[in-house]
Amino acid sequence: MGPPPVVTGISPKEGPPGTRVTVRGEFLGAKTQDLIGLTICGCDCLLSAEWKSPNKIIARSGPCKGRGDIIVTTKNGGQGTSTVQFRGYHETIGPMKESAVWVEEAPMQSLVWGRRALSPTNYQQEDPLGLSVEGNEKKFPEDDLIELFGEGSGELASEKFHPGWFLLQHHHATTLDDLKAGLAYLRRKVHSQKEGQLSFLKANVGSVMEQLDTIMLLKEQFESDVQKHGQDPTAKLEAAIKESMAEADKLFHDVLARRDKADATRNALSLMQRYRFLFCMPVNIEKNINRGNYDLVINDYARVKNLFGNTELEVFKKVLNEIELRIERLRIVLRKKLEEVPVTLDEQKKIIRNLVNLESVGDPAWDAIASHAHHLEKSVTACIHEYLEFENAGGDDSNKTPKSNGLTPTPLSIKQLRLQQNEDNSVPAQVLCVEAICDVVTEQLPDLWRLGQSYFTGQLHVTVDTEKQGPFKNLVLSSMQHAVDAMKTACGINLDASWLLHNLRCIRQTYTSLIHLDLPSEALDIFGKYLFDLRLQCLVALFKQTAEKISALHRKETWQIEYLNEHGGVTRLPALFEEMVMEVAKLARETVLACGPREVPLLAHASHQTLFHNAVKTLFTAFAKCLQQLAFSGSEEAMEDDESSVSQLIGSPASYRTRDKQQGPTWEQCLLISLSNIRYTLNTIIPRVNETFKLHGYPALSLTMSSNSDWTQLETLDSAVLDAYLERRCDPLVGTIEPSMYLGGLEWYLEVEPTHVRPYVQEALTNLIAVHAEVRRVSPGLLKRVLSHIVETVAEELARLMSCVTRFSTPGAVQARADITLLSTAVRAYTTPRARSFFEEALDAISQPNGKEVSQKVDALLAKVASSMHLQLSCLADQSTEGITLQELDSDRATTV
C-alpha cells in the first residue's frame, strides 16, 4: 500500500453545481486507473473526474450546498484527506443569467408597477425597504450565515427566505434608525396596495395609460385587418398556416430524413461502441489465432459466453454464430497441431488444456497419446525409408541425388542431405539409420510415457478412463517393438564390426535413458533381449572381422626367420596372429562382454558358449588357410600335383601366387617354414591363447578341444605340408638310388673287388645331408620327424632293390653289405623300427657265401670308408656324439649279422 492521497488546494473555492474544479495535492494516483473515488462536499464526482498527474485532478462539482471536504480515493493509497473546503450554492436564474431554460418561463420576481422600461437589460431588483445599499459593499461572511440560519436563504423569491439572513446580507452596516425608516416604508407600501381600485389606479396611472394606448393600437390594427381581409380572416389564416406548414415540411423533409438517419446511425454507433468487445470479437479471434495467442482467444470466448450466452437479440445471436464458427476452426487447428506436428510435452499439455477449455468433443488427451504413438512409429518407419531405401537406390548414380524440376540437385530430406555429406567419411547408411532411430526413441518415447502418466494421474484436466491403461501399455510396447524391429532391419544387413559396436553404444545409451523412465519390465525386456542379441552379433562380427584380417596375413609374410630357441625358429606370422587374437579378445571383453544396467552375462548359457567356441574356431581355421596358402605358394607344377590331395583335407586355397625363386625362398623352404610355424602355433600359441581367454573371463577352450581333436585344422595342415615336403624331397632322392646303383654297368654278380662304397650310397648320404642342413637351419626340432620318413623310404627302396637281385658274387655281396651297413649306421639317429626292419630285410636278401671271409672283407672296407667319409658320417650323427667310428660300424655290422 502507498501513502494516502492529500488535497492541499482547490480552484475555485466555491461555485454552483457543474463548476469546473481543479484539485491539487499529493499522492493522487500514478495513473488513471488508480483513481477510484472522488467526492466534493459529499457528492460523488468520479464520473466527471479527469486525472492529469499525481498532483492534479480536474472534475465538475455536484449538486452540493454548503461547505465540505474534497476526498480522493486511490487504489494503492485508499481514502485520503483534505486541508481545504469547497462551498457549493444554488443561484436564482434571472434575465441576465445564462441558463439552460428560457428566462421568460422562469418565475419572475414581483415588480413595482411604474412607468419604466420593462426591457430585461434595464431590470434591477429594488430594495424592499427602500434603503440605499451604499456602505454595505463588504459582504457579511457567508460561513457565519450558514451557521446561524442553516438551510435558510436571503433570496426574496426563495421558499426558504429568512429575513435575518436578508438583513445581515444586505444591511449589516445600516443603522437602526434607517432600518426603522425602512420598516415604515415597507408598511406604507403594503398599506397602499390595500386602499382600493382608485388609489391603485392613482398609484399606477402610468401603467394604466400604457395599457390603454396598447388597446387602442390593437383596435386600430384589427379594424384595418377587417377592411383588408374581411369579417372572417381565420379561414385565410388557417389556410396560410397550413400552406406554410406544408412548405416547411417540404423544405425540411430531407433535413429531417437525414436527421433520422443520423440519429439511427448515432444510436447504432453508440450501441457498437457500448458492445464493441462483442462485435470485434470475430476479428480479434482471427488475429489471435494467426498470431498463436490461443489463451487470449479462450479467455475472450469464455467471457462472451458468460455475458451473452443467453441473449435473445438477433444481432447478438448472429455475432455469436460467427464466433462459434471461428472457435470451431480453432478446435480443428489445435487438433491438427496435436495429431500431426511433433511438439514437446509442455506444448502438448497446453494444447490439450486449450481443447478442454474450448469444450472439444471427445477425449483430446487420449487422442494426443494415440497420435504421439503413431507419430513415433511413423518416424521410425521414415528412418528406414529415408536411409536404407536411399542406399539401395544409391547403386545407380542417377538416383543418388534427386533432382527438383530438372534444375538443381536437391536432397529429398534433411536426413538424406546428412547422408550425402557423410559419403566422404564412408559412414554406412545402416549406422545413420540406427542413430536416427535411437534419436527418435530417446526424444519421443519419454514424452509418450510422461504424457500417459499425466493422463492417468489427472494432470491433463480431463476425465480419467482407467480402462485405457491396458491399451496405453500396448501402445508403448508396440512402439518399442517397432523401433527394435527397425533396428534389427538396419543391423541385419552386413556391417563391419566397428559399426556394429557403434550401434551397440548408441542402443545402450538409449536403453539407459529408458531405464530411468521407470518403464514396466515388459517394455524394457524388449530392448534388453535385442541388446543381448546384438551383443552376440557383435561378438561374432568381431571374430569374423578378425578372421578376415588373419586370412590376409599372407600378404605380410616376409619369410624372415626369427630364432626363438635351440629347437627352431618361426616368422613373424604366428606373433601377428596371436596379437590379433589377443586384441579381439580384449576388445570384445571391454565392449561386448561388459554388462551395462539390466544386462545379463553374455556367455552364461551353453549354446552361447558354443557360439563363442565356433567364433574362436574361425580364427584358427582362417590362420590355417593363411598358412596353407603360404605353404603351397610355390611353383604352379607343385600346386597342380598337390592341390587335389590338400583340398580334400583342409579345403582348396582360393589362389596361389607364383614365387620368384631368385627373390625368395624355394618352395621346399616355404614348406619347412610353414611347418615350423604350424608346430609353434600348436605347441605355444594355442595354450597361451587359452590361458589369456581364461584370465579375461571367457569360457575355457578345453571343451572345444576335447570334442574335436583337430578343431584348428592345423594338425591336418601339418600332415599335408609334411607330406608335400617329403614328396618333394623323397622322390628325387629315392629315384636316384637305382640308377646310381647300376652306374657303369656294374652288376652284383660281377667279380669286381670293392674299394669303396658305391656312388648310390654317397649320393643318398649327400641328399640326406642336404635335407638335414635345410631342416636344421629352419627348425632343428623337425629333424627326426622329416628325416625318419625319408630314411624309411630309402630303406624300403633298398630292401626292394636287394630283393630283386637274382645272384650275388662274393665281391658283390661284400659291396652290398658294406653299402647297406654304412648307410644304416650313418642314419642310425633317424632310423625308426620300420626303417630298421627294411634294412634288415635288405641285408637278408644278400647271399652269404663263406660268411667269415665276407665279414672280414666288409670290416676292412668299412674301416677304409669310415676314415675317408668321416665328414659325411659326422653330418648325420646324433648331437650327443661327435662322429661315427669304426668300432660303431663293427658293432652295427655284428648286430646286423
Side-chain angles (χ1 to χ4, degrees):
M1 296 293 290
V6 180
V7 178
T8 58
I10 187 170
S11 177
K13 294 184 178 181
E14 59 183 6
T19 303
R20 190 172 184 269
V21 180
T22 302
V23 180
R24 295 185 180 274
E26 297 179 349
F27 314 118
L28 302 182
K31 54 185 178 178
T32 303
Q33 291 77 6
D34 289 347
L35 181 62
I36 62 175
L38 174 63
T39 58
I40 300 177
C41 295
C43 295
D44 189 2
C45 303
L46 180 63
L47 292 177
S48 63
E50 183 180 357
W51 183 89
K52 293 295 185 180
S53 69
N55 304 104
K56 180 179 179 181
I57 297 174
I58 297 176
R60 296 278 180 177
S61 63
C64 58
K65 189 174 183 181
R67 287 189 174 274
D69 293 334
I70 299 92
I71 304 301
V72 178
T73 304
T74 60
K75 187 181 296 185
N76 294 328
Q79 188 172 357
T81 58
S82 174
T83 60
V84 295
Q85 288 185 329
F86 178 81
R87 186 179 74 85
Y89 58 87
H90 296 273
E91 293 182 339
T92 301
I93 305 301
M96 300 300 293
K97 185 68 176 177
E98 295 182 0
S99 175
V101 299
W102 300 104
V103 177
E104 289 80 359
E105 297 176 359
M108 299 296 293
Q109 298 179 357
S110 59
L111 301 177
V112 179
W113 293 93
R115 294 186 63 84
R116 59 188 180 279
L118 296 178
S119 173
T121 57
N122 297 325
Y123 172 76
Q124 184 177 5
Q125 184 179 0
E126 295 182 358
D127 187 69
L129 299 179
L131 297 175
S132 175
V133 294
E134 294 181 0
N136 294 301
E137 292 84 1
K138 186 177 181 181
K139 292 184 178 182
F140 192 83
E142 190 166 351
D143 295 341
D144 297 340
L145 293 175
I146 294 174
E147 292 179 2
L148 291 173
F149 303 105
E151 295 182 358
S153 177
E155 301 291 335
L156 295 175
S158 175
E159 296 178 355
K160 299 180 180 181
F161 173 76
H162 195 285
W165 186 306
F166 177 81
L167 291 175
L168 289 175
Q169 184 177 5
H170 298 284
H171 297 282
H172 64 279
T174 305
T175 62
L176 181 61
D177 294 336
D178 292 338
L179 291 176
K180 290 180 179 180
L183 178 60
Y185 171 77
L186 183 59
R187 287 176 178 173
R188 286 195 304 271
K189 190 174 181 180
V190 172
H191 182 71
S192 65
Q193 292 181 357
K194 299 180 181 179
E195 290 180 355
Q197 295 181 356
L198 182 60
S199 61
F200 177 76
L201 290 174
K202 290 179 180 181
N204 297 286
V205 65
S207 299
V208 172
M209 294 303 293
E210 286 184 2
Q211 293 174 2
L212 289 174
D213 292 340
T214 302
I215 291 173
M216 291 301 294
L217 184 61
L218 288 174
K219 178 178 179 297
E220 292 176 357
Q221 186 69 33
F222 179 75
E223 290 177 350
S224 63
D225 289 341
V226 168
Q227 293 177 0
K228 183 178 180 180
H229 299 289
Q231 292 294 331
D232 191 10
T234 57
K236 294 181 179 180
L237 183 60
E238 183 179 2
I241 291 173
K242 290 182 179 180
E243 184 180 358
S244 64
M245 289 178 64
E247 290 294 330
D249 290 340
K250 185 178 179 181
L251 288 174
F252 290 98
H253 179 73
D254 295 337
V255 176
L256 294 175
R258 287 196 296 272
R259 180 182 177 183
D260 293 339
K261 186 177 180 180
D263 291 342
T265 304
R266 189 179 300 107
N267 293 334
L269 291 175
S270 177
L271 183 65
M272 291 184 64
Q273 183 68 22
R274 183 176 180 183
Y275 298 103
R276 182 175 57 182
F277 167 73
L278 177 64
F279 292 116
C280 296
M281 186 70 181
V283 178
N284 292 334
I285 287 177
E286 289 288 346
K287 291 181 180 179
N288 291 326
I289 288 176
N290 296 331
R291 295 173 182 173
N293 297 330
Y294 303 132
D295 293 337
L296 185 59
V297 173
I298 293 171
N299 293 334
D300 292 344
Y301 177 68
R303 183 179 173 189
V304 167
K305 292 284 286 184
N306 292 332
L307 294 176
F308 306 98
N310 300 323
T311 184
E312 296 296 335
L313 297 177
E314 293 297 329
V315 64
F316 288 173
K317 289 182 178 180
K318 186 176 180 180
V319 176
L320 289 177
N321 291 334
E322 290 291 332
I323 294 174
E324 285 294 340
L325 290 176
R326 285 162 174 78
I327 292 298
E328 184 62 29
R329 195 178 307 162
L330 175 60
R331 294 190 187 105
I332 295 174
V333 171
L334 292 178
R335 283 280 186 182
K336 290 182 179 179
K337 289 176 70 69
L338 192 64
E339 295 175 359
E340 298 179 1
V341 181
V343 294
T344 61
L345 180 61
D346 294 336
E347 291 178 351
Q348 276 189 327
K349 290 182 177 180
K350 186 176 180 181
I351 294 173
I352 293 171
R353 185 178 65 253
N354 291 337
L355 286 172
V356 172
N357 293 333
L358 291 175
E359 300 176 357
S360 178
V361 179
D363 191 350
W366 180 253
D367 294 341
I369 294 173
S371 62
H372 198 109
H374 176 70
H375 180 71
L376 174 58
E377 295 184 0
K378 186 177 178 181
S379 300
V380 172
T381 305
C383 294
I384 293 292
H385 290 326
E386 292 187 11
Y387 283 103
L388 300 186
E389 289 185 1
F390 180 79
E391 185 195 24
N392 295 334
D396 186 2
D397 294 339
S398 61
N399 295 328
K400 284 186 178 179
T401 305
K403 304 261 183 178
S404 176
N405 298 327
L407 297 176
T408 56
T410 304
L412 293 176
S413 66
I414 297 300
K415 294 181 179 179
Q416 290 185 359
L417 176 61
R418 181 185 174 193
L419 178 60
Q420 291 180 3
Q421 292 175 349
N422 285 331
E423 284 181 355
D424 296 337
N425 298 330
S426 300
V427 179
Q430 301 93 313
V431 176
L432 298 177
C433 181
V434 172
E435 288 182 351
I437 294 173
C438 290
D439 292 341
V440 168
V441 173
T442 305
E443 293 173 0
Q444 299 186 21
L445 189 60
D447 288 344
L448 174 62
W449 177 252
R450 295 190 184 102
L451 187 63
Q453 295 301 308
S454 300
Y455 173 76
F456 291 110
T457 55
Q459 300 178 11
L460 300 182
H461 310 287
V462 297
T463 303
V464 179
D465 188 359
T466 56
E467 295 181 356
K468 292 182 178 178
Q469 291 183 355
F472 173 70
K473 182 179 179 181
N474 294 333
L475 279 178
V476 175
L477 294 179
S478 62
S479 299
M480 297 185 70
Q481 187 63 48
H482 182 68
V484 168
D485 293 340
M487 291 179 185
K488 288 182 180 178
T489 303
C491 294
I493 306 173
N494 291 331
L495 276 178
D496 292 337
S498 57
W499 295 119
L500 279 176
L501 290 177
H502 178 75
N503 290 345
L504 179 62
R505 286 193 294 270
C506 293
I507 296 173
R508 269 179 168 168
Q509 292 175 357
T510 303
Y511 186 52
T512 303
S513 64
L514 295 180
I515 292 174
H516 294 160
L517 289 179
D518 196 17
L519 290 169
S521 299
E522 296 179 24
L524 294 176
D525 289 343
I526 294 175
F527 257 81
K529 291 178 182 177
Y530 172 64
L531 192 60
F532 185 84
D533 295 340
L534 183 60
R535 291 167 63 194
L536 286 177
Q537 184 180 358
C538 290
L539 179 66
V540 175
L542 280 173
F543 279 87
K544 181 180 178 181
Q545 182 181 6
T546 306
E548 293 174 355
K549 293 180 180 179
I550 291 172
S551 299
L553 279 177
H554 64 276
R555 300 188 184 93
K556 298 183 180 180
E557 181 59 273
T558 59
W559 301 105
Q560 253 183 342
I561 300 176
E562 298 178 358
Y563 291 96
L564 302 177
N565 49 41
E566 66 277 6
H567 297 292
V570 294
T571 61
R572 292 183 61 252
L573 210 60
L576 292 176
F577 167 70
E578 183 182 9
E579 181 180 350
M580 288 183 178
V581 174
M582 299 302 181
E583 182 180 355
V584 71
K586 181 180 178 182
L587 180 60
R589 179 176 60 87
E590 294 175 351
T591 56
V592 179
L593 293 183
C595 294
R598 289 191 92 255
E599 293 184 15
V600 297
L602 189 64
L603 302 178
H605 197 269
S607 60
H608 302 150
Q609 294 179 6
T610 303
L611 183 67
F612 165 71
H613 292 155
N614 292 333
V616 175
K617 182 179 177 181
T618 58
L619 301 181
F620 286 92
T621 53
F623 188 58
K625 290 181 180 180
C626 175
L627 292 176
Q628 171 194 355
Q629 186 172 358
L630 290 171
F632 294 97
S633 61
S635 63
E636 293 294 334
E637 294 81 2
M639 188 272 294
E640 292 175 357
D641 292 340
D642 299 328
E643 181 179 359
S644 59
S645 60
V646 173
S647 61
Q648 292 175 359
L649 293 175
I650 58 173
S652 177
S655 61
Y656 295 103
R657 57 186 176 89
T658 304
R659 178 177 302 279
D660 190 354
K661 294 183 180 180
Q662 296 179 355
Q663 295 182 358
T666 62
W667 186 34
E668 292 80 2
Q669 293 173 343
C670 291
L671 290 173
L672 277 177
I673 295 173
S674 299
L675 196 63
S676 179
N677 288 339
I678 292 170
R679 298 315 304 176
Y680 179 75
T681 303
L682 287 170
N683 299 330
T684 305
I685 299 296
I686 291 179
R688 203 150 57 194
V689 168
N690 189 18
E691 190 65 26
T692 303
F693 278 177
K694 287 183 179 179
L695 292 177
H696 288 175
Y698 289 95
L701 299 178
S702 57
L703 298 176
T704 305
M705 297 177 182
S706 61
S707 61
N708 186 2
S709 59
D710 191 21
W711 60 279
T712 62
Q713 296 187 1
L714 291 174
E715 294 286 354
T716 305
L717 179 62
D718 178 71
S719 301
V721 172
L722 180 61
D723 292 342
Y725 181 77
L726 292 176
E727 185 176 357
R728 294 287 295 176
R729 287 306 183 191
C730 285
D731 289 348
L733 191 149
V734 175
T736 59
I737 292 178
E738 186 174 3
S740 298
M741 184 180 292
Y742 297 101
L743 188 64
L746 295 176
E747 296 291 344
W748 295 109
Y749 58 83
L750 295 178
E751 296 293 336
V752 179
E753 290 295 331
T755 58
H756 206 281
V757 293
R758 287 197 176 183
Y760 76 90
V761 177
Q762 297 179 15
E763 187 174 2
L765 287 175
T766 302
N767 290 334
L768 286 173
I769 291 171
V771 173
H772 182 279
E774 187 178 56
V775 175
R776 185 179 180 82
R777 186 180 66 87
V778 175
S779 179
L782 296 175
L783 283 174
K784 281 188 173 295
R785 188 178 178 198
V786 174
L787 290 180
S788 61
H789 286 81
I790 298 177
V791 169
E792 284 184 0
T793 307
V794 171
E796 184 179 4
E797 179 66 14
L798 288 176
R800 183 186 68 80
L801 291 176
M802 293 303 171
S803 62
C804 294
V805 177
T806 57
R807 184 172 63 85
F808 285 94
S809 62
T810 302
V814 172
Q815 184 70 57
R817 285 184 175 277
D819 293 344
I820 294 174
T821 303
L822 180 65
L823 188 59
S824 62
T825 305
V827 298
R828 181 180 57 187
Y830 309 102
T831 302
T832 62
R834 185 168 179 270
R836 188 176 294 108
S837 64
F838 281 128
F839 280 125
E840 292 176 355
E841 183 180 347
L843 290 174
D844 293 340
I846 302 172
S847 59
Q848 295 185 358
N850 299 322
K852 186 176 181 180
E853 182 181 358
V854 172
S855 178
Q856 291 176 353
K857 291 181 178 180
V858 169
D859 293 339
L861 182 59
L862 287 175
K864 180 180 177 181
V865 172
S867 60
S868 62
M869 296 183 64
H870 178 73
L871 180 60
Q872 290 89 333
L873 295 177
S874 299
C875 289
L876 296 176
D878 193 2
Q879 295 180 359
S880 59
T881 62
E882 295 182 358
I884 300 177
T885 61
L886 181 60
Q887 290 75 13
E888 291 176 342
L889 290 174
D890 292 342
S891 63
D892 289 340
R893 182 180 63 79
T895 303
T896 303
V897 174

Short mmCIF file of all heavy atoms in Angstrom, two decimals, residues 554-555 625-626 628-634 636 639 643 651-658:
data_model
loop_
_atom_site.label_atom_id
_atom_site.label_comp_id
_atom_site.label_asym_id
_atom_site.label_seq_id
_atom_site.Cartn_x
_atom_site.Cartn_y
_atom_site.Cartn_z
N HIS A 554 48.83 -63.41 -45.12
CA HIS A 554 49.84 -63.94 -46.04
C HIS A 554 50.53 -62.80 -46.81
O HIS A 554 51.66 -62.98 -47.31
CB HIS A 554 49.20 -64.92 -47.03
CG HIS A 554 48.20 -64.28 -47.92
ND1 HIS A 554 46.88 -64.09 -47.55
CD2 HIS A 554 48.31 -63.78 -49.18
CE1 HIS A 554 46.23 -63.51 -48.55
NE2 HIS A 554 47.07 -63.31 -49.54
N ARG A 555 49.86 -61.65 -46.89
CA ARG A 555 50.49 -60.51 -47.58
C ARG A 555 51.61 -59.90 -46.76
O ARG A 555 52.47 -59.20 -47.30
CB ARG A 555 49.44 -59.44 -47.88
CG ARG A 555 48.30 -59.91 -48.77
CD ARG A 555 47.42 -58.73 -49.17
NE ARG A 555 46.27 -59.17 -49.95
CZ ARG A 555 45.09 -59.45 -49.45
NH1 ARG A 555 44.91 -59.34 -48.13
NH2 ARG A 555 44.09 -59.83 -50.21
N LYS A 625 44.20 -71.57 -43.07
CA LYS A 625 44.12 -71.32 -44.51
C LYS A 625 45.22 -70.38 -44.98
O LYS A 625 45.76 -70.52 -46.08
CB LYS A 625 42.75 -70.74 -44.85
CG LYS A 625 41.62 -71.74 -44.71
CD LYS A 625 40.30 -71.12 -45.10
CE LYS A 625 39.17 -72.14 -44.95
NZ LYS A 625 37.85 -71.56 -45.33
N CYS A 626 45.52 -69.39 -44.10
CA CYS A 626 46.62 -68.47 -44.44
C CYS A 626 47.94 -69.23 -44.55
O CYS A 626 48.71 -69.05 -45.51
CB CYS A 626 46.70 -67.37 -43.40
SG CYS A 626 48.09 -66.24 -43.60
N GLN A 628 48.27 -72.38 -45.11
CA GLN A 628 48.16 -73.27 -46.27
C GLN A 628 48.51 -72.51 -47.55
O GLN A 628 49.25 -73.02 -48.40
CB GLN A 628 46.74 -73.82 -46.35
CG GLN A 628 46.46 -74.58 -47.64
CD GLN A 628 44.99 -74.82 -47.84
OE1 GLN A 628 44.20 -74.50 -46.96
NE2 GLN A 628 44.63 -75.36 -48.96
N GLN A 629 47.96 -71.30 -47.68
CA GLN A 629 48.23 -70.53 -48.89
C GLN A 629 49.71 -70.19 -49.00
O GLN A 629 50.28 -70.22 -50.10
CB GLN A 629 47.39 -69.25 -48.86
CG GLN A 629 47.46 -68.44 -50.13
CD GLN A 629 46.46 -67.31 -50.13
OE1 GLN A 629 45.70 -67.17 -49.19
NE2 GLN A 629 46.47 -66.52 -51.18
N LEU A 630 50.33 -69.89 -47.85
CA LEU A 630 51.76 -69.59 -47.89
C LEU A 630 52.58 -70.84 -48.17
O LEU A 630 53.56 -70.81 -48.91
CB LEU A 630 52.18 -68.97 -46.55
CG LEU A 630 51.66 -67.56 -46.26
CD1 LEU A 630 51.97 -67.16 -44.84
CD2 LEU A 630 52.27 -66.56 -47.24
N ALA A 631 52.18 -71.97 -47.57
CA ALA A 631 52.97 -73.20 -47.75
C ALA A 631 52.93 -73.69 -49.19
O ALA A 631 53.93 -74.19 -49.72
CB ALA A 631 52.45 -74.28 -46.81
N PHE A 632 51.80 -73.54 -49.82
CA PHE A 632 51.64 -74.05 -51.19
C PHE A 632 51.67 -72.93 -52.21
O PHE A 632 51.00 -72.97 -53.23
CB PHE A 632 50.32 -74.82 -51.31
CG PHE A 632 50.30 -76.06 -50.48
CD1 PHE A 632 49.72 -76.05 -49.23
CD2 PHE A 632 50.88 -77.24 -50.95
CE1 PHE A 632 49.71 -77.19 -48.45
CE2 PHE A 632 50.87 -78.38 -50.17
CZ PHE A 632 50.29 -78.37 -48.92
N SER A 633 52.46 -71.89 -51.89
CA SER A 633 52.59 -70.78 -52.84
C SER A 633 53.83 -70.93 -53.70
O SER A 633 54.42 -69.95 -54.12
CB SER A 633 52.65 -69.46 -52.06
OG SER A 633 53.79 -69.47 -51.20
N GLY A 634 54.26 -72.17 -53.93
CA GLY A 634 55.43 -72.41 -54.76
C GLY A 634 55.10 -72.42 -56.24
O GLY A 634 54.23 -71.69 -56.70
N GLU A 636 53.75 -73.54 -59.95
CA GLU A 636 52.45 -73.99 -60.42
C GLU A 636 52.42 -75.51 -60.57
O GLU A 636 51.41 -76.15 -60.35
CB GLU A 636 52.11 -73.31 -61.75
CG GLU A 636 51.88 -71.81 -61.65
CD GLU A 636 50.64 -71.48 -60.85
OE1 GLU A 636 49.73 -72.33 -60.80
OE2 GLU A 636 50.60 -70.40 -60.25
N MET A 639 51.86 -76.99 -57.23
CA MET A 639 50.49 -76.74 -56.80
C MET A 639 49.54 -77.68 -57.51
O MET A 639 48.60 -78.21 -56.92
CB MET A 639 50.13 -75.27 -57.08
CG MET A 639 48.78 -74.83 -56.50
SD MET A 639 47.42 -75.13 -57.62
CE MET A 639 47.83 -73.98 -58.93
N GLU A 643 47.37 -80.04 -55.18
CA GLU A 643 46.13 -79.31 -54.88
C GLU A 643 45.00 -80.26 -54.56
O GLU A 643 44.24 -80.06 -53.62
CB GLU A 643 45.76 -78.42 -56.07
CG GLU A 643 44.50 -77.62 -55.83
CD GLU A 643 44.16 -76.74 -57.01
OE1 GLU A 643 44.94 -76.75 -57.98
OE2 GLU A 643 43.14 -76.06 -56.93
N GLY A 651 40.56 -78.16 -47.54
CA GLY A 651 39.93 -77.23 -48.46
C GLY A 651 40.93 -76.61 -49.40
O GLY A 651 42.06 -76.32 -49.04
N SER A 652 40.51 -76.44 -50.62
CA SER A 652 41.40 -75.88 -51.63
C SER A 652 41.60 -74.41 -51.39
O SER A 652 40.65 -73.68 -51.12
CB SER A 652 40.80 -76.11 -53.03
OG SER A 652 41.62 -75.52 -54.01
N PRO A 653 42.81 -73.89 -51.44
CA PRO A 653 43.04 -72.46 -51.26
C PRO A 653 42.43 -71.67 -52.40
O PRO A 653 42.27 -72.17 -53.51
CB PRO A 653 44.56 -72.32 -51.23
CG PRO A 653 45.06 -73.51 -51.97
CD PRO A 653 44.09 -74.61 -51.69
N ALA A 654 42.11 -70.42 -52.08
CA ALA A 654 41.44 -69.60 -53.09
C ALA A 654 42.36 -69.30 -54.26
O ALA A 654 41.94 -69.33 -55.41
CB ALA A 654 40.96 -68.29 -52.44
N SER A 655 43.59 -69.04 -53.98
CA SER A 655 44.51 -68.73 -55.08
C SER A 655 45.93 -68.95 -54.57
O SER A 655 46.22 -68.83 -53.40
CB SER A 655 44.33 -67.27 -55.54
OG SER A 655 44.61 -66.39 -54.49
N TYR A 656 46.82 -69.31 -55.46
CA TYR A 656 48.23 -69.48 -55.15
C TYR A 656 49.03 -68.50 -55.99
O TYR A 656 48.77 -68.35 -57.19
CB TYR A 656 48.70 -70.90 -55.47
CG TYR A 656 48.03 -71.96 -54.61
CD1 TYR A 656 47.01 -72.75 -55.12
CD2 TYR A 656 48.42 -72.14 -53.29
CE1 TYR A 656 46.40 -73.70 -54.33
CE2 TYR A 656 47.81 -73.09 -52.50
CZ TYR A 656 46.80 -73.87 -53.03
OH TYR A 656 46.20 -74.81 -52.26
N ARG A 657 49.93 -67.87 -55.32
CA ARG A 657 50.75 -66.91 -56.06
C ARG A 657 52.08 -67.57 -56.43
O ARG A 657 52.65 -68.34 -55.68
CB ARG A 657 50.99 -65.66 -55.20
CG ARG A 657 51.65 -65.94 -53.86
CD ARG A 657 51.72 -64.68 -53.01
NE ARG A 657 52.25 -64.96 -51.69
CZ ARG A 657 53.53 -64.94 -51.39
NH1 ARG A 657 54.42 -64.70 -52.34
NH2 ARG A 657 53.93 -65.21 -50.16
N THR A 658 52.56 -67.30 -57.59
CA THR A 658 53.83 -67.85 -58.08
C THR A 658 54.98 -67.05 -57.50
O THR A 658 54.98 -65.83 -57.55
CB THR A 658 53.87 -67.77 -59.62
OG1 THR A 658 52.74 -68.45 -60.11
CG2 THR A 658 55.12 -68.39 -60.16
#
